[in-house]
Amino acid sequence: MYSNGYAGIVISLVASSLLVFGFTNAEIQTFKIYWWVSMVGLLLIRLADTFFWLKKNKTTEIDGKRSILRFSVGTIATATMWCVYCLILFPYIDTIELAFNIIIVSAMAGGASTVLAGSKATAMLYSAILLIPFSIALLLEPQFHEYILGILGLSFGFIMLLTANKSADFTTLAIRLKNDNATLVEHMEAEVTARTHQIYELSNIDPLTGLFNRSAFLNHLRADLKSSIKAEKPMALLFIDLDGFKKINDTIGHETGDMVLKQTSDRLKENYKNHQLICRWGGDEFLIALENTNQSEAIVIADNLIKHISAPYIFSKNRLSISATIGIAMYPEHATNEQVLIQLADTAMYYQKKAFPSTAGVFSAHLGKQLAREQRLKDALSEAIENQQLRLVFQPIVDSETFQPVAFEALLRWQLVNENIPPYEFISIAEQYGQIRKIGAWVLCEACKEAKSWQTQKALSVAVNVSVIQLQDNDFIEIVDNALSESGLPAKFLHIEITESVFAADKETLLDKIACLQNRGIKVSIDDFGTEYSSLSVIQELSADKVKIDQAFVASLDTNGMPIVNAVLQIAKAFGYDVVAEGVETLQQAEILRKAGVNHLQGFYFAKPLETSMLKQYLKGRALPLID
């Protein structure tokens, strides 16, 4: 508004001078001169106000509302002077001068709708004062031409009010956008920096620990490996996995688990200052890259890290203890690629945790061969069923009094090319890589079909081992039902064998599934009883049908095995369970167990696991075992 002030003042001065001195009338000329002098004085005050405001605006902050009020007072005073001039003089002037008056004030009102658009109230009031009183006065005159001019002036006045309103709205929006853009430009660098930092953190930083995430760590590791290549310096990669963390999460809660992870990351930072080479790989796994570090130095660092991580974690009311297992892979000895290096360190950690948890181990050629073999077996196992490489063999379970078979345990075998892969090796691979569900379903179906074929000769049951992963499957009960339905085997001839370790998982869910099996008439046995998880609590909560004494206790009957057998028998008798002894290899063992009260026996003394072709011959005419 002030920036347009000079133009408005000049126009008012020129227009007022033109009307006063361009049209002379002796009767009213004195009034015109006094009016003109007053107008010039007002315009000079406005000119000074505009000059000082514009000068002050460049150097100091201003009060916007007060400035608008000051400008508006001067503008409205000017409009009032014009209104007074028109209202007082129009009865004394001729038609031509009257037309000039109308034209001039209309032009000034039209210009004001844009020039004064910075203030809606000022623009509209200025136009209204200029046109509406003068136009109403003309409408009240009897002369036709004055009446017409009044109508035109009033109509134009209302149009100018609408125009001023719209112009003011548009100008206000334009000023707001201009200010917003100015603010944006002013703060753009800070905003861009802040947002860049935010995006960087979202894409590179683990939100819980503040360490680098996988993507950022891989990028840094890749760059550091290139530097190590040029400098011909070794590098060690440490793969850290916390021991006992899952138990904290499951028993105390994830909130406490998160606090442990934060403290662990802090401890890693304290021990290794180059934070860009520390990463939370996922879950409770961390990675550290040690530049210019040889193998012996890496082992020392890893051992110190384990000690530091193993120090108590103290929270408000909790004192927690965990440890860590660390796998180490070396550049360039073991790998030159960052992905392979991490995989090898992970492999070293995995095997170290199985053999010597809470210690550090270095990747070796032996582990490399194991890894290659595991990968080959994993790939081949995924197609073993389709390639008909899997088969079942059956070992008899006999009555301890008569030595006659009452059931057969189905045991899985895998022949890959010309090699028989041991079950302990491929079952763990199947569980680790998610293949056990498919294989387990196949075993159930095949075992039930085979058991159904026995029914024409003898009513014998089949026992099938089931892992915790199978039991956790939501479709497990349906898989069992399908196996029974497709084979036609009555449910009472199917025994499901589980180990105590299954109850280290979600015990309530697993107990519910076992109850569903028993409601169908399926028998449930606890395999390898006494070697795994909380034996007494399991047998108390689980309404099992049988317990199987592990072969390790049978093998040591003449030393310390017999007291354990007697203890199991007493517990089983109290709960009404049958007892099966595994690993019976001599008649002497069989007799001792029979006299002790064991119901059923199983072992090489009676028969090794039989192929299906041998099983049929065994059922047709079985020879009694020879006495040693």
Side-chain angles (χ1 to χ4, degrees):
M1 291 170 70
Y2 269 102
S3 64
N4 292 323
Y6 287 132
I9 291 169
V10 170
I11 291 171
S12 294
L13 180 61
V14 171
S16 61
S17 299
L18 179 63
L19 287 177
V20 170
F21 299 107
F23 298 92
T24 57
N25 188 323
E27 185 179 1
I28 56 173
Q29 193 64 28
T30 301
F31 173 79
K32 282 187 174 184
I33 296 298
Y34 283 120
W35 177 87
W36 182 80
V37 171
S38 300
M39 175 64 84
V40 170
L42 175 60
L43 293 176
L44 287 174
I45 293 173
R46 290 185 59 198
L47 184 65
D49 177 57
T50 301
F51 175 79
F52 286 112
W53 188 92
L54 291 173
K55 184 178 180 181
K56 182 180 179 182
N57 181 44
K58 294 178 180 179
T59 58
T60 60
E61 293 186 1
I62 59 169
D63 184 341
K65 291 183 178 180
R66 187 174 180 180
S67 297
I68 291 174
L69 178 62
R70 199 168 75 193
F71 180 87
S72 298
V73 168
T75 303
I76 298 304
T78 304
T80 303
M81 288 289 290
W82 280 110
C83 181
V84 170
Y85 180 88
C86 293
L87 289 176
I88 292 176
L89 293 184
F90 87 88
Y92 304 100
I93 59 180
D94 57 23
T95 303
I96 294 176
E97 187 175 353
L98 179 63
F100 264 91
N101 282 1
I102 285 290
I103 291 170
I104 287 174
V105 295
S106 297
M108 294 179 68
S113 64
T114 55
V115 173
L116 303 178
S119 171
K120 181 186 291 189
T122 303
M124 294 181 71
L125 188 58
Y126 184 86
S127 297
I129 292 173
L130 280 177
L131 288 173
I132 293 177
F134 186 28
S135 299
I136 292 174
L138 290 174
L139 282 173
L140 298 176
E141 292 299 312
Q143 298 296 327
F144 180 73
H145 69 278
E146 293 175 336
Y147 179 78
I148 293 299
L149 288 174
I151 290 176
L152 291 174
L154 194 61
S155 300
F156 187 72
F158 282 116
I159 292 173
M160 287 301 98
L161 289 176
L162 294 174
T163 302
N165 181 57
K166 290 184 177 180
S167 296
D169 289 340
F170 177 80
T171 302
T172 300
L173 178 61
I175 291 173
R176 184 180 293 114
L177 290 175
K178 180 181 178 181
N179 288 333
D180 289 345
N181 289 337
T183 302
L184 180 62
V185 171
E186 183 180 349
H187 299 289
M188 183 172 290
E189 184 175 349
E191 285 226 15
V192 167
T193 301
R195 293 191 180 191
T196 301
H197 181 69
Q198 183 181 19
I199 292 171
Y200 177 80
E201 287 196 342
L202 289 173
S203 59
N204 291 274
I205 303 299
D206 173 62
L208 177 63
T209 62
L211 300 177
F212 274 73
N213 59 19
R214 288 191 179 206
S215 175
F217 181 80
L218 284 171
N219 290 335
H220 284 290
L221 180 59
R222 191 178 300 116
D224 288 343
L225 283 176
K226 290 180 180 178
S227 300
S228 297
I229 292 172
K230 293 179 181 178
E232 296 183 351
K233 294 180 179 179
M235 176 184 286
L237 183 71
L238 276 56
F239 197 111
I240 305 166
D241 186 85
L242 300 184
D243 301 330
F245 178 76
K246 184 178 184 301
K247 186 176 181 181
I248 291 175
N249 254 357
D250 293 344
T251 57
I252 303 178
H254 289 276
E255 183 176 349
T256 302
D258 288 346
M259 295 172 67
V260 169
L261 291 175
K262 289 178 182 178
Q263 281 202 21
T264 300
S265 67
D266 291 339
R267 294 180 184 187
L268 294 178
K269 292 175 187 176
E270 291 170 5
N271 279 263
Y272 196 67
K273 301 301 182 183
N274 191 356
H275 294 174
Q276 71 177 22
L277 295 178
I278 303 178
C279 161
R280 182 189 177 199
W281 191 244
D284 60 342
E285 298 173 338
F286 299 86
L287 294 181
I288 297 181
L290 302 172
E291 297 172 297
N292 195 22
T293 304
N294 60 37
Q295 182 170 309
S296 59
E297 292 170 337
I299 293 173
V300 172
I301 292 173
D303 289 338
N304 288 333
L305 279 175
I306 292 173
K307 291 178 182 177
H308 200 54
I309 293 171
S310 301
Y313 289 74
I314 301 174
F315 303 114
S316 55
K317 295 183 180 180
N318 294 313
R319 180 185 175 92
L320 305 175
S321 295
I322 62 171
S323 187
T325 301
I326 300 180
I328 303 172
M330 300 299 302
Y331 163 87
E333 180 182 348
H334 299 140
T336 57
N337 174 274
E338 68 276 2
Q339 295 280 7
V340 177
L341 201 63
I342 292 171
Q343 183 183 15
L344 299 184
D346 184 15
T347 300
M349 183 279 299
Y350 173 75
Y351 284 105
Q352 193 72 14
K353 186 180 283 281
K354 286 201 302 184
F356 307 103
S358 302
T359 60
V362 182
F363 182 81
S364 65
H366 174 67
L367 286 182
K369 291 178 181 179
Q370 283 186 289
L371 179 65
R373 176 176 173 81
E374 183 176 299
Q375 184 66 37
R376 182 174 72 88
L377 294 181
K378 177 180 77 72
D379 294 339
L381 191 58
S382 63
E383 298 177 352
I385 295 175
E386 289 76 6
N387 294 338
Q388 297 182 344
Q389 296 170 344
L390 297 179
R391 71 185 192 281
L392 293 180
V393 295
F394 299 87
Q395 187 173 30
I397 301 172
V398 304
D399 183 279
S400 61
E401 296 290 341
T402 64
F403 289 174
Q404 295 299 311
V406 296
F408 286 88
E409 181 178 0
L411 302 170
L412 185 60
R413 297 291 183 264
W414 180 26
Q415 184 171 359
L416 179 60
V417 190
N418 295 322
E419 180 185 7
N420 286 314
I421 312 299
Y424 69 82
E425 185 176 13
F426 71 80
I427 291 297
S428 63
I429 292 175
E431 290 179 339
Q432 182 179 353
Y433 294 102
Q435 298 164 329
I436 193 64
R437 290 180 172 89
K438 179 181 177 182
I439 293 173
W442 180 86
V443 170
L444 272 168
C445 286
E446 292 300 309
C448 288
K449 290 177 183 177
E450 184 64 29
K452 176 62 177 177
S453 69
W454 306 335
Q455 305 305 310
T456 56
Q457 301 179 55
K458 292 185 179 181
L460 300 172
S461 300
V462 63
V464 179
N465 292 281
V466 171
S467 73
V468 62
I469 297 175
Q470 289 176 266
L471 279 173
Q472 288 175 329
D473 191 345
N474 293 330
D475 298 329
F476 177 70
I477 300 298
E478 183 180 348
I479 290 171
V480 173
D481 289 340
N482 289 340
L484 293 173
S485 176
E486 291 179 12
S487 64
L489 180 70
K492 65 181 180 179
F493 292 116
L494 175 61
H495 293 185
I496 296 294
E497 293 191 359
I498 58 175
T499 63
E500 299 163 88
S501 61
V502 302
F503 298 101
D506 184 356
K507 184 165 63 174
E508 295 301 323
T509 300
L510 297 179
L511 287 173
D512 288 342
K513 289 188 177 179
I514 290 169
C516 287
L517 294 173
Q518 291 176 320
N519 290 337
R520 286 163 167 74
I522 298 170
K523 301 293 189 297
V524 176
S525 304
I526 303 176
D527 199 9
D528 302 333
F529 184 75
T531 63
E532 295 276 358
Y533 173 86
S534 184
S535 306
L536 291 177
S537 64
V538 169
I539 202 167
Q540 182 179 10
E541 294 183 58
L542 173 63
S543 178
D545 299 287
K546 295 183 180 182
V547 291
K548 299 185 76 172
I549 299 174
D550 187 71
Q551 59 184 350
F553 304 133
V554 174
S556 60
L557 285 177
D558 55 347
T559 55
N560 58 359
M562 198 61 209
I564 297 176
V565 171
N566 287 329
V568 172
L569 285 167
Q570 289 180 18
I571 295 171
K573 183 178 180 181
F575 286 96
Y577 302 154
D578 284 345
V579 178
V580 180
E582 298 179 297
V584 179
E585 296 187 355
T586 67
L587 178 59
Q588 182 183 6
Q589 290 174 337
E591 289 297 332
I592 292 173
L593 293 168
R594 179 184 63 80
K595 291 177 181 178
V598 173
N599 307 100
H600 301 103
L601 307 172
Q602 180 181 358
F604 285 0
Y605 176 72
F606 304 101
K608 293 183 178 181
L610 304 170
E611 302 286 347
T612 53
S613 58
M614 298 173 61
L615 179 62
K616 293 176 182 178
Q617 298 177 8
Y618 177 86
L619 289 174
K620 287 180 179 178
R622 174 181 171 279
L624 291 175
L626 297 175
I627 299 175
D628 292 313

